[in-house]
Amino acid sequence: MMNETTATGADRRAFFRINDRLVLSLIPLTEAEAEHIGQSIIDATPEAGQLTQQLSTIQKSFNHLTDQIGHTDRDIARALRMLDDKVNLLAQNVQLLHTPLNPETANEVNLSAGGLALMTDTVFQARSPLEIRMQLLPGGLHIRAIAKVIGCDQMIESTEGKSFYLRVAFTHMSETDRNILVKHTLNRQAEELRNSKQA
């Protein structure tokens, strides 16, 4: 889990990067808003939702327990992690029923668990904070984070009317969401490797 400080270049490079499509919104914030919302995301305070707080606590305890079990019986620990993945998959499908996706609004992004980059029609000031709400495809799982703008450069050629290349680093994100992003990028990378081998 990241704390309030901006991820360094080394931190961002520590995560796998993939080209992906996801539904997202970018909300400019003041520094005070970013600090307040960001801390509630990390702490999973009631403002971020009672359910989020409970799930985060349970997930941390579960991860700690499976790590301990893994020292004595790797098979049982692996079975528990598979069961956890199954429950998460079911939860994603339930969430999708309540928040149907509109794939037509998806954006092409370069994504990692440390940040993202994409083309946008809006210019953002360097070092300004943003609230980012993402919905991963195809499962529809929601991720909420606070990010800091690394750069927003105007490109010579525009893409679909978007002429600014925005790069951000996540500064506030729950441990649960960070783990979801890590798994998502690893799964996507494995999928790309399988497709390239078949080709």
Side-chain angles (χ1 to χ4, degrees):
M1 176 177 61
M2 297 297 292
N3 57 24
E4 304 128 55
T5 58
T6 304
T8 64
D11 291 332
R12 290 193 301 274
R13 287 190 296 272
F15 298 108
F16 287 109
R17 300 196 71 83
I18 58 165
N19 292 321
D20 202 5
R21 292 181 73 246
L22 50 83
V23 178
L24 66 79
S25 63
L26 306 170
I27 305 164
L29 300 173
T30 65
E31 292 288 347
E33 289 171 333
E35 181 63 29
H36 180 68
I37 297 171
Q39 201 57 52
S40 73
I41 289 172
I42 288 175
D43 295 338
T45 61
E47 181 182 324
Q50 189 67 30
L51 179 61
T52 303
Q53 182 182 15
Q54 292 171 344
L55 288 173
S56 178
T57 301
I58 291 169
Q59 189 67 49
K60 285 177 183 177
S61 299
F62 179 82
N63 290 341
H64 179 69
L65 186 59
T66 51
D67 286 344
Q68 285 183 325
I69 293 170
H71 292 303
T72 56
D73 194 323
R74 290 185 179 183
D75 289 336
I76 290 178
R78 193 164 68 91
L80 287 171
R81 288 190 186 100
M82 290 171 67
L83 183 60
D84 185 45
D85 288 341
K86 184 177 179 181
V87 171
N88 287 335
L89 185 60
L90 291 171
Q92 289 174 27
N93 287 327
V94 169
Q95 189 177 42
L96 185 56
L97 292 175
H98 295 287
T99 54
L101 286 173
N102 180 3
E104 293 179 7
T105 64
N107 295 273
E108 300 287 337
V109 300
N110 184 260
L111 176 68
S112 81
L116 61 81
L118 73 155
M119 293 297 294
T120 178
D121 57 2
T122 306
V123 62
F124 296 93
Q125 293 300 315
R127 302 188 59 77
S128 63
L130 297 173
E131 180 181 352
I132 299 183
R133 298 186 181 195
M134 298 177 280
Q135 206 170 9
L136 303 177
L137 299 174
L141 194 64
H142 288 264
I143 304 286
R144 186 182 183 206
I146 302 300
K148 181 108 24 193
V149 174
I150 301 300
C152 189
D153 305 314
Q154 185 163 16
M155 309 302 285
I156 296 173
E157 295 182 11
S158 63
T159 304
E160 298 177 353
K162 300 173 181 178
S163 55
F164 297 97
Y165 188 64
L166 173 67
R167 294 173 291 120
V168 304
F170 300 134
T171 57
H172 298 74
M173 182 181 288
S174 72
E175 184 178 352
T176 300
D177 282 355
R178 183 85 60 185
N179 289 337
I180 288 168
L181 270 183
V182 168
K183 285 182 182 178
H184 177 77
T185 53
L186 287 173
N187 289 341
R188 275 280 196 268
Q189 188 181 55
E191 185 181 322
E192 288 176 6
L193 287 172
R194 283 195 300 271
N195 291 339
S196 65
K197 284 181 180 178
Q198 289 173 359

